[in-house]
């Protein structure tokens, strides 16, 4: 539903020239409606003009595009390139205006990057592109004099890689007064050296950072993690993601049990200083027997915990089932662990503890077979808040999946299921977990028929609100999609360096 004021704003914006010419006579409280209308109808000239003359002290994209009593449609998943570029141009026009300027904060966070854009042009500007655009704009404004006035703080979700590292550093470290000051409530880092990561975090204002994602091609070990947490300090951090093998010992350090325990205890102590940490993602790190040490010092219960492929032990699972975090978990990923065979009692106890809060559960490649479906149904039945369940890579037959789907229909809030290709569709001698080439070698027609049967199970239960799918290569990741070429080049360079080192060692042996 849209109010009459919203429809009037859209009618005006549909005539761009008239809208731009009439801005001076528009009441200040109507500017948010005009902005939303111009963003909805993809009128970049009006977007730029509205922001260029913005009469309020704050401009917050999340609130302007989100649903409200006057407009129920949510536009936050429209990262429209034309409109976002116009927003930045409007900011430039605003700070270059002579006379009094009221705008003090421009919050450009809160966009949701999705696979398919719903805006008319269909062209997205992802998080990396938004970072690049803002950083270049800040640098250009540093070089060109602007009208005197207070600076505008621009809040953005920073995404830094080696490809934009230099321009981001220049934008964050101005040599003089600058009309646009970047502030970063969240930072994502990829394809950086540990030294580059430390440098950009020092500049990004770690004292106010709420979310830090260090992913993929940032080669950290436990010594780097300890140094990062101790030297930089993140008093407001609520969410932390660390890359693969982030808890491995440094090569220069003798990997004795005492040195490992000392380093892990130090890292746990630094995490314990964070009074707001509620999300911890440390997938693909070997944490056998280390989870109690790592999580015991935390000052707040975790709501999100990713321990996928961390080689957990009985000690780790027993701790998780009994710790304070269990009754607060909303998002849990335990992929890569043979849960129902190795830890049946503690795993299902953990599910019972988390049942009242758990929204997203991921159990990929956990060795869940047909014989375990009954236990899984019993374990999941109390999880009345569950919205997403992902269990790709498990050796389940079509019959077992039909039984599981019928039980999942009883979960009232469930909206998404990611299920594996049924075992019936593969050759009898297929091994689990499957390697990458084997994933696509299945009977497509048989899969399509079984998939229709599973959809029929949902329809008979009147659960057409549940989306069921099999993303063979994982869910869509807009950040990886956007930087795939750079990441590919980075990986190729790393592979070449590894070959050079190997050749050098061979020559020395000879």
């Amino acid at each position: 539903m849209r109010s009459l004021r919203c429809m009037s704003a859209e009618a005006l914006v549909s005539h761009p020239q008239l809208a731009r010419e009439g801005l001076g006579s528009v009441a200040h409280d109507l500017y948010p409606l005009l902005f939303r209308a111009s963003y909805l109808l993809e009128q970049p000239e009006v977007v730029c003009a509205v922001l260029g003359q913005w009469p309020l002290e704050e401009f917050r994209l999340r609130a302007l595009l989100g649903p409200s009593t006057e407009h129920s449609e949510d536009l936050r998943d429209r990262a429209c390139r034309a409109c976002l570029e116009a927003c930045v141009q409007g900011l430039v026009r605003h700070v270059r205006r002579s006379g009094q300027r009221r705008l003090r904060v421009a919050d450009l966070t809160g966009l949701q990057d999705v696979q398919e854009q719903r805006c008319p042009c269909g062209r997205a500007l992802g998080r990396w592109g938004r970072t690049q655009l803002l950083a270049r704009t800040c640098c250009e404004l540093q070089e060109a004099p602007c009208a005197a006035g207070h600076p505008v703080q621009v809040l953005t979700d920073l995404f830094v890689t080696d490809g934009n590292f230099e321009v981001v550093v220049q934008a964050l470290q101005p040599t003089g007064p600058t009309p646009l000051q970047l502030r970063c409530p969240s930072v994502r880092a990829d394809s950086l050296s540990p030294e580059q990561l430390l440098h950009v975090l020092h500049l990004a204002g770690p004292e106010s950072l709420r979310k830090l994602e260090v992913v993929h091609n940032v080669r950290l070990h436990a010594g780097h993690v300890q140094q990062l947490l101790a030297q930089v300090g993140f008093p407001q951090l609520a969410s932390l993601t660390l890359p693969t093998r982030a808890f491995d010992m440094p090569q220069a350090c003798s990997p004795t049990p005492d040195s490992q325990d000392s380093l892990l205890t130090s890292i746990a102590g630094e995490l314990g200083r964070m009074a707001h940490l509620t999300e911890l993602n440390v997938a693909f790190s070997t944490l056998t027997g280390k989870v109690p040490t790592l999580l015991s010092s935390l000052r707040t219960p975790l709501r999100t915990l990713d321990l996928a492929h961390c080689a957990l032990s009985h000690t780790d699972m027993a701790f998780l089932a009994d710790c304070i975090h269990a009754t607060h978990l909303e998002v849990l990923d335990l992929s890569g662990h043979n849960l129902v065979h190795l830890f049946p009692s503690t795993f299902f106890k953990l599910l019972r503890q988390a049942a009242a809060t758990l929204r997203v559960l991921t159990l990929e490649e956990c060795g869940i077979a047909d014989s375990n479906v009954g236990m899984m149904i019993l374990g999941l039945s109390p999880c009345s808040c569950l919205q997403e369940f992902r269990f790709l890579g498990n050796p389940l037959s079509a019959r077992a999946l039909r039984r599981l789907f019928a039980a999942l229909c009883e979960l009232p809030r469930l909206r998404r299921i990611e299920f594996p290709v049924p075992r019936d569709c593969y050759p009898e001698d297929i091994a689990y977990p499957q390697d990458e080439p084997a994933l696509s070698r299945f009977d497509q027609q048989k899969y399509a028929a079984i998939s229709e049967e599973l959809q029929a199970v949902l329809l008979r239960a009147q659960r057409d609100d549940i989306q069921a799918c099999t993303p063979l290569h994982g869910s869509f990741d807009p950040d990886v999609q956007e930087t795939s070429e750079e990441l590919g080049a980075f990986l190729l360079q790393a592979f070449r360096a590894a070959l050079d080192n190997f050749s050098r060692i061979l020559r020395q042996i000879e």
Side-chain angles (χ1 to χ4, degrees):
M1 292 290 293
R2 291 174 297 163
S3 69
L4 182 59
R5 294 203 319 163
C6 282
M7 290 187 283
S8 300
E10 291 171 21
L12 175 60
V13 164
S14 62
H15 300 83
Q17 184 175 348
L18 182 62
R20 293 198 308 270
E21 292 174 351
L23 277 178
S25 58
V26 171
H28 290 180
D29 63 340
L30 295 179
Y31 268 71
L33 288 176
L34 285 176
F35 174 82
R36 180 185 171 87
S38 57
Y39 199 100
L40 171 67
L41 300 179
E42 199 177 286
Q43 297 286 358
E45 303 93 341
V46 184
V47 168
C48 181
V50 168
L51 195 46
Q53 298 185 43
W54 194 256
L56 309 174
E57 290 190 357
E58 295 186 352
F59 171 87
R60 298 192 181 274
L61 203 56
R62 184 196 304 267
L64 291 167
L65 300 183
S68 72
T69 54
E70 288 205 282
H71 34 70
S72 58
E73 187 177 3
D74 192 343
L75 303 180
R76 289 173 295 183
D77 61 353
R78 295 195 184 189
C80 175
R81 176 180 291 271
C83 290
L84 290 173
E85 288 176 346
C87 283
V88 176
Q89 293 166 5
L91 283 175
V92 172
R93 182 178 298 183
H94 188 94
V95 298
R96 284 180 171 167
R97 286 175 58 198
S98 58
Q100 187 178 10
R101 303 194 303 258
R102 295 194 64 189
L103 183 62
R104 293 184 177 275
V105 177
D107 186 348
L108 302 183
T109 65
L111 291 173
Q112 302 168 11
D113 295 305
V114 296
Q115 188 167 5
E116 295 183 8
Q117 282 294 307
R118 294 188 297 118
C119 59
C121 73
R123 297 174 62 238
L125 186 65
R127 180 157 45 160
W128 190 91
R130 298 194 292 271
T131 297
Q132 179 84 340
L133 174 62
L134 274 172
R136 283 182 173 171
T137 301
C138 289
C139 293
E140 291 169 1
L141 288 173
Q142 291 170 20
E143 298 170 359
C146 292
H150 60 260
V152 176
Q153 290 191 3
V154 183
L155 277 61
T156 183
D157 295 316
L158 204 67
F159 185 3
V160 192
T161 66
D162 187 62
N164 65 0
F165 173 76
E166 290 186 3
V167 68
V168 168
V169 167
Q170 185 181 346
L172 292 173
Q173 195 176 27
T175 55
T178 177
L180 294 182
Q181 296 179 345
L182 288 186
R183 295 291 182 266
C184 313
S186 77
V187 173
R188 179 182 174 94
D190 199 351
S191 303
L192 296 178
S193 68
E195 294 75 22
Q196 287 176 313
L197 174 64
L198 278 171
H199 186 48
V200 78
L201 287 177
H202 276 296
L203 297 176
E207 66 281 351
S208 58
L209 192 65
R210 297 283 298 166
K211 183 174 184 178
L212 173 60
E213 299 173 271
V214 186
V215 298
H216 306 305
N217 296 310
V218 182
R219 307 301 185 191
L220 298 185
H221 53 59
H224 291 136
V225 173
Q226 194 279 333
Q227 180 186 17
L228 175 70
L229 299 181
Q231 288 189 8
V232 181
F234 304 97
Q236 300 297 318
L237 198 68
S239 176
L240 175 63
T241 299
L242 294 173
T244 300
R245 304 179 66 180
F247 290 91
D248 286 4
M249 291 296 290
Q251 290 184 352
C253 179
S254 57
T256 64
D258 288 344
S259 63
Q260 291 177 342
D261 291 344
S262 175
L263 198 51
L264 185 67
T265 301
S266 179
I267 292 172
E270 296 301 331
L271 292 176
R273 296 176 185 273
M274 301 177 186
H276 305 282
L277 189 67
T278 57
E279 299 182 12
L280 184 62
N281 304 290
V282 290
F284 293 95
S285 286
T286 303
L287 292 175
T288 310
K290 300 175 181 178
V291 170
T293 302
L294 189 64
L295 302 187
S296 293
S297 301
L298 297 183
R299 296 169 60 180
T300 51
L302 291 174
R303 293 201 301 265
T304 296
L305 180 60
D306 185 351
L307 293 172
H309 301 276
C310 286
L312 301 183
S313 67
H314 288 275
T315 301
D316 300 315
M317 287 301 301
F319 170 82
L320 289 174
D322 286 319
C323 69
I324 188 175
H325 308 292
T327 55
H328 294 79
L329 286 173
E330 298 176 15
V331 180
L332 176 64
D333 191 340
L334 293 174
S335 299
H337 298 99
N338 206 328
L339 299 167
V340 291
H341 293 94
L342 296 180
F343 324 111
S345 60
T346 50
F347 168 61
F348 288 110
K349 181 179 180 180
L350 174 59
L351 277 188
R352 287 196 303 273
Q353 295 281 74
T357 56
L358 195 61
R359 295 184 297 103
V360 181
L361 177 63
T362 305
L363 302 176
E364 298 180 358
E365 297 183 0
C366 286
I368 301 171
D370 288 17
S371 58
N372 310 126
V373 168
M375 293 177 65
M376 287 300 305
I377 291 173
L378 287 175
L380 291 170
S381 59
C383 300
S384 57
C385 294
L386 196 66
Q387 298 174 16
E388 298 182 23
F389 180 40
R390 305 181 180 118
F391 57 108
L392 299 170
N394 288 291
L396 291 164
S397 69
R399 180 180 178 183
L401 285 172
R402 286 192 293 269
R403 183 182 172 196
L404 185 56
F405 266 55
L408 292 174
C409 289
E410 300 299 320
L411 300 178
R413 299 187 185 179
L414 191 66
R415 294 295 180 269
R416 182 175 177 85
I417 302 172
E418 292 186 5
F419 65 95
V421 173
R423 187 164 189 145
D424 318 50
C425 301
Y426 287 104
E428 291 186 3
D429 58 349
I430 189 71
Y432 287 82
Q434 298 161 291
D435 56 20
E436 195 71 22
L439 278 176
S440 303
R441 296 190 195 133
F442 62 91
D443 188 323
Q444 301 277 354
Q445 290 184 340
K446 200 168 188 179
Y447 169 78
I450 295 173
S451 182
E452 286 185 10
E453 293 176 7
L454 296 175
Q455 294 291 342
V457 172
L458 299 178
L459 291 175
R460 282 196 297 271
Q462 297 183 339
R463 292 304 306 271
D464 55 345
D465 56 335
I466 297 177
Q467 179 189 12
C469 60
T470 306
L472 284 179
H473 302 288
S475 301
F476 174 73
D477 188 331
D479 295 316
V480 172
Q481 184 79 12
E482 187 181 18
T483 57
S484 58
E485 292 185 8
E486 182 181 351
L487 298 185
F490 190 92
L491 286 172
L492 187 60
Q493 183 180 5
F495 181 64
R496 187 180 296 116
L499 287 178
D500 291 341
N501 290 333
F502 182 66
S503 300
R504 185 171 61 255
I505 292 171
L506 287 179
R507 287 195 297 269
Q508 290 174 352
I509 295 175
E510 292 175 355

